[in-house]
C-alpha cells in the first residue's frame, strides 16, 4: 500500500439509527434536529480531494454514515480520486451492505471499525456472528470491533471479548469520555482491561504551546462543510479552517502550536502529530488572546452542542 500522506475525518451526518445515552449527538434525536452533508458539501469535498497529494486516508463517519443516501456514491468517488477509505459504523445493517463496501473499495478499504453499542444491540450473538462473517470476507483490510467500556456493559463485553478472541477478530475497548475527560473505572472493569487492550488513544497532557501537525496532516470536516484542525478545536477561532465548499480552502503549510492544555483528539495522538521537542509559548499566548475575543461568538454558535454535552454528563452521573 502507498504511504498515507495525511488523514481526513469526514462526519457526513449527525443522524443515526441508534440512541446511545452517552453519545454527544443523542439529544438532537428527540427533535430530529440533525444535519447531513448536502450535495454542495459533498461536491466541495470531492473537488478538494482532487487538489491534494495522494493518497490520504479518508475516514467516513457520523452519526451513522450508512444512513446517508449518498454514502456508497461518496466512497466510490473518493477512490476514483486516488485516496484510501476507512469506515466507522455501528454495524447494524445487514451483512450484505458491509460486503458491498468491501466489493466497491477492494484493497482501498484500509479499515472498517464496527462500534458495538451494547445499549442498542438487541441480539449480541447476531452481532458477533455477523462480525465473524465479515472478518472472513475482508481480505487484506483491517476489521476491528470496538466498544466503549462502562460499568453497565462489562458482562456483555466479557462475553463478546471471548468470542472475538476465539475467532481472531481484533477487539478494542474504548475509554469512556465525558466532556473531554476520561472516566475512572472500578476494580472489576480495570481487571477486564488487563485481559483486553484498551485504546491507545488517551489524553496527552501539557500540550499547550507544543507544535502539532493537525491542520497540515489532519483535519475534521463536519456535515455542514466546516473544517477544523482537530476535534478539540470546535470552539477555537484560530483552529477553524473555513469551509470545504470554499474554492480557496487549503491545508496549513506547517505545524502551529496547540492551544489546548491537554489534547484529547484521537488522530494527532494516534499518529504522533504533537512535537514535544518544539514549543512556542509566546505565539500560543497571542493566539489564545485572539481566541478569547471570539469565545462569546462560538459559545452562542455552538450552544446546542454545549447544552447536549452538559445533559449527557448529567445523565451519565445519574447512571452511577
Amino acid at each position: 500500500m502507498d504511504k498515507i500522506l495525511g488523514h481526513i475525518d469526514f462526519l457526513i451526518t449527525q443522524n443515526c439509527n441508534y440512541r446511545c445515552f452517552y453519545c454527544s449527538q443523542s439529544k438532537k434525536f428527540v427533535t430530529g434536529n440533525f444535519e447531513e452533508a448536502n450535495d454542495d458539501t459533498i461536491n466541495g469535498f470531492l473537488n478538494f480531494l482532487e487538489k491534494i497529494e495522494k493518497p490520504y486516508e479518508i475516514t467516513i463517519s457520523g452519526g451513522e454514515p450508512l444512513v446517508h443516501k449518498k454514502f456508497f456514491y461518496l466512497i466510490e468517488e473518493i477512490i476514483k480520486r486516488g485516496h484510501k477509505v476507512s469506515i466507522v459504523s455501528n454495524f447494524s445493517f445487514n451483512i450484505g451492505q458491509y460486503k458491498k463496501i468491501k466489493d466497491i473499495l477492494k484493497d482501498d478499504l484500509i479499515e472498517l471499525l464496527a462500534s458495538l453499542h451494547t445499549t442498542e444491540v438487541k441480539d449480541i450473538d447476531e452481532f458477533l456472528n455477523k462480525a465473524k462473517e465479515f472478518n472472513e470476507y475482508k481480505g487484506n483490510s483491517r476489521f476491528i470491533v470496538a466498544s466503549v467500556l462502562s460499568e453497565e456493559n462489562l458482562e456483555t463485553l466479557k462475553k463478546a471479548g471471548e468470542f472475538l478472541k476465539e475467532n481472531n477478530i481484533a477487539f478494542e475497548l474504548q475509554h469512556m469520555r465525558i466532556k473531554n475527560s476520561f472516566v475512572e473505572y472500578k476494580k472489576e472493569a480495570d481487571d477486564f482491561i488487563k485481559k483486553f487492550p484498551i485504546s491507545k488513544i488517551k489524553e496527552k497532557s501539557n500540550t499547550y504551546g507544543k507544535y502539532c501537525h493537525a491542520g497540515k496532516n489532519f483535519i475534521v470536516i463536519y456535515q455542514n462543510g466546516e473544517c477544523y484542525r482537530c476535534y478539540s478545536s470546535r470552539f477555537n477561532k484560530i483552529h477553524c479552517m473555513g469551509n470545504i465548499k470554499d474554492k480557496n480552502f487549503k491545508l496549513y503549510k506547517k505545524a502551529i502550536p496547540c492551544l489546548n492544555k491537554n489534547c484529547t483528539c484521537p488522530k494527532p495522538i494516534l499518529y504522533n502529530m504533537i512535537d514535544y521537542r518544539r514549543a512556542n509559548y509566546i505565539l500560543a499566548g497571542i493566539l489564545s488572546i485572539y481566541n478569547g475575543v471570539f469565545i462569546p461568538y462560538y459559545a452562542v454558535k455552538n450552544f446546542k452542542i454545549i447544552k447536549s454535552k452538559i445533559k449527557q454528563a448529567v445523565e451519565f452521573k445519574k447512571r452511577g
Side-chain angles (χ1 to χ4, degrees):
M1 181 180 291
D2 296 333
K3 180 180 179 182
I4 299 299
L5 299 175
H7 304 266
I8 297 173
D9 281 10
F10 188 10
L11 287 68
I12 61 174
T13 181
Q14 292 178 327
N15 193 12
C16 184
N17 54 326
Y18 279 177
R19 300 294 183 267
C20 304
F21 78 90
Y22 48 81
C23 178
S24 62
Q25 309 275 6
S26 60
K27 300 303 175 184
K28 296 182 180 180
F29 298 129
V30 177
T31 60
N33 183 27
F34 56 81
E35 296 179 334
E36 289 194 331
N38 60 23
D39 288 349
D40 288 341
T41 298
I42 290 175
N43 291 335
F45 172 69
L46 294 174
N47 290 336
F48 171 70
L49 291 187
E50 293 178 353
K51 302 174 184 178
I52 60 176
E53 294 183 80
K54 301 173 179 57
Y56 263 60
E57 178 185 355
I58 314 299
T59 299
I60 305 298
S61 65
E64 169 51 49
L66 271 71
V67 304
H68 196 292
K69 62 183 180 181
K70 288 203 169 181
F71 169 78
F72 287 105
Y73 164 79
L74 178 61
I75 62 175
E76 287 177 342
E77 293 299 314
I78 289 171
I79 61 171
K80 284 180 183 178
R81 288 158 174 78
H83 299 283
K84 309 293 183 181
V85 178
S86 288
I87 308 293
V88 178
S89 170
N90 62 29
F91 210 58
S92 62
F93 291 78
N94 67 68
I95 189 64
Q97 295 291 82
Y98 297 102
K99 288 183 176 180
K100 182 179 178 180
I101 291 173
K102 177 61 181 178
D103 291 342
I104 290 172
L105 298 176
K106 299 182 173 60
D107 288 340
D108 288 325
L109 174 63
I110 293 180
E111 178 180 288
L112 173 63
L113 189 148
S115 295
L116 171 55
H117 296 284
T118 56
T119 58
E120 301 296 312
V121 174
K122 296 179 180 179
D123 189 335
I124 187 67
D125 291 326
E126 179 183 351
F127 181 99
L128 294 174
N129 287 324
K130 184 165 58 174
K132 179 181 178 181
E133 185 173 351
F134 184 79
N135 192 59
E136 294 169 349
Y137 193 81
K138 67 179 176 58
N140 294 325
S141 303
R142 294 194 302 265
F143 176 59
I144 300 172
V145 174
S147 187
V148 177
L149 175 63
S150 70
E151 304 294 343
E152 294 175 326
N153 68 9
L154 179 58
E155 293 304 317
T156 301
L157 293 189
K158 285 181 179 179
K159 174 183 176 180
E162 292 298 335
F163 178 93
L164 296 169
K165 185 176 182 179
E166 289 173 2
N167 289 278
N168 297 312
I169 301 171
F171 180 44
E172 183 179 274
L173 299 174
Q174 296 175 333
H175 205 127
M176 181 171 281
R177 187 173 66 191
I178 301 295
K179 294 178 68 176
N180 288 331
S181 296
F182 292 98
V183 302
E184 295 292 332
Y185 292 118
K186 297 177 183 177
K187 183 180 185 304
E188 189 176 0
D190 276 334
D191 290 341
F192 178 57
I193 292 171
K194 295 175 183 176
K195 295 182 179 180
F196 292 96
I198 199 157
S199 172
K200 296 179 181 178
I201 302 172
K202 294 296 294 294
E203 178 178 303
K204 294 288 187 180
S205 59
N206 301 317
T207 53
Y208 184 82
K210 305 297 192 302
Y211 277 97
C212 178
H213 290 271
K216 175 177 176 286
N217 299 121
F218 171 63
I219 59 171
V220 182
I221 305 174
Y222 289 93
Q223 65 285 334
N224 59 4
E226 288 185 355
C227 301
Y228 293 83
R229 185 187 183 196
C230 65
Y231 285 102
S232 303
S233 298
R234 199 164 188 183
F235 306 103
N236 190 316
K237 172 64 176 175
I238 294 297
H239 294 170
C240 178
M241 300 175 65
N243 197 294
I244 200 69
K245 290 174 282 191
D246 185 348
K247 294 181 180 179
N248 297 319
F249 177 83
K250 57 185 178 181
L251 300 170
Y252 291 167
K253 293 183 178 180
K254 58 184 180 181
I256 66 171
C258 176
L259 301 184
N260 298 303
K261 180 181 178 182
N262 299 314
C263 175
T264 59
C265 187
K267 290 295 174 64
I269 293 174
L270 186 62
Y271 295 105
N272 298 313
M273 294 185 186
I274 304 165
D275 188 350
Y276 277 90
R277 299 168 301 176
R278 299 174 59 229
N280 190 329
Y281 299 110
I282 295 176
L283 177 58
I286 294 171
L287 296 179
S288 295
I289 293 172
Y290 179 74
N291 270 340
V293 176
F294 290 88
I295 286 177
Y297 167 75
Y298 276 90
V300 171
K301 180 180 179 181
N302 295 285
F303 175 75
K304 291 181 179 179
I305 297 173
I306 297 171
K307 184 179 178 181
S308 68
K309 286 183 176 293
I310 293 173
K311 287 184 177 181
Q312 175 197 15
V314 172
E315 176 69 17
F316 180 76
K317 188 174 182 179
K318 287 180 181 178
R319 291 169 180 256

